[in-house]
Amino acid sequence: MIKLYDFLPCPYGQKVRIVLAEKGLSYDLMQVDLAQVDHRKPDFLRLNPFGRVPVLVDEEVTVYDSTIINEYLEDEYPEPPLIPLVGNSGQRARARLFEDFADTSFTPQVGQLIHEMSRPDGERDESRVQRLHQSVERVLDYLNRELHAQQFLAGEFSVADIAFVPRLLVLNHLGFDPAANRANVDGWIKRMLDRQSIRTLEGVSTEPVPGA
Ligand SMILES: N[C@@H](CCC(=O)N[C@@H](CS)C(=O)NCC(=O)O)C(=O)O
């Protein structure tokens, strides 16, 4: 049985849980409470020396980092494919580029906004909130352009789309209307919300998460 070490509000763990659900894989969820600093305990550091969730253990294989976990799952459990198929190198690269962009830019920016907005009135840096807000709006405009004439970012539904989902789903609670005047983003979000793996995703919240 696969074990997933995760903290439910973590957007990177959510990426992995969408992939597990899409592939119909069952697993034991091993909750790592970041608020209790479980991720710094020796047993957990033996699984991931960097002390971060998610970590996936599949029999004798231990993998950390959501992108690498999802690549492992694709290799080991290829059906249904969530990375464009071998032979379509351009789309495979495009899927990876978007996943990386979501992980290293979009998700952390929305995370910073969540952290800043969770501060009490008077302690909040309003100009930082405004800068982050504008930056997220620019990303949404960019995605709207990139989704022109296609249903998903790399053709078929893939890890590229999945990587955006966790933070995309909280934008309405942060004062955004991601679909307003962005017909392609509007259709994209609706198509993703049609998927059970996304509709039933647990842990989506505007709770600040350490390191994200
Ligand atoms: N690149 C990693 C990032 C994982 C990450 O930042 N996890 C956060 C929670 S969402 C974490 O474990 N933070 C604890 C810490 O940094 O101390 C991935 O994609 O899995």
Side-chain angles (χ1 to χ4, degrees), residues 26-144:
S26 45
Y27 57 96
D28 283 335
L29 180 67
M30 315 298 284
Q31 306 232 31
V32 180
D33 190 343
L34 300 190
Q36 298 295 321
V37 205
D38 286 350
H39 57 303
R40 296 280 162 211
K41 294 185 177 155
D43 280 355
F44 185 72
L45 290 172
R46 268 193 282 280
L47 296 173
N48 179 357
F50 297 103
R52 294 200 186 108
V53 290
V55 176
L56 182 126
V57 179
D58 187 11
E59 307 290 343
E60 73 288 355
V61 178
T62 300
V63 196
Y64 48 82
D65 190 281
S66 59
T67 297
I68 298 174
I69 294 172
N70 285 348
E71 297 227 349
Y72 167 81
L73 290 171
E74 189 73 8
D75 289 343
E76 194 65 17
Y77 307 97
E79 292 299 326
L82 293 171
I83 297 179
L85 295 175
V86 174
N88 198 346
S89 308
Q91 286 292 57
R92 282 167 77 80
R94 185 174 160 91
R96 290 179 168 126
L97 286 171
F98 273 109
E99 181 173 21
D100 185 62
F101 175 60
D103 286 357
T104 59
S105 180
F106 178 70
T107 297
Q109 272 181 354
V110 178
Q112 287 163 27
L113 190 56
I114 289 172
H115 278 279
E116 201 58 55
M117 287 176 77
S118 70
R119 290 183 201 280
D121 287 348
E123 287 178 29
R124 203 174 299 139
D125 180 344
E126 295 297 348
S127 66
R128 184 159 189 248
V129 168
Q130 205 183 344
R131 273 198 313 279
L132 288 164
H133 212 281
Q134 286 167 350
S135 169
V136 171
E137 291 281 4
R138 278 197 297 275
V139 173
L140 292 168
D141 288 339
Y142 167 65
L143 293 175
N144 197 53

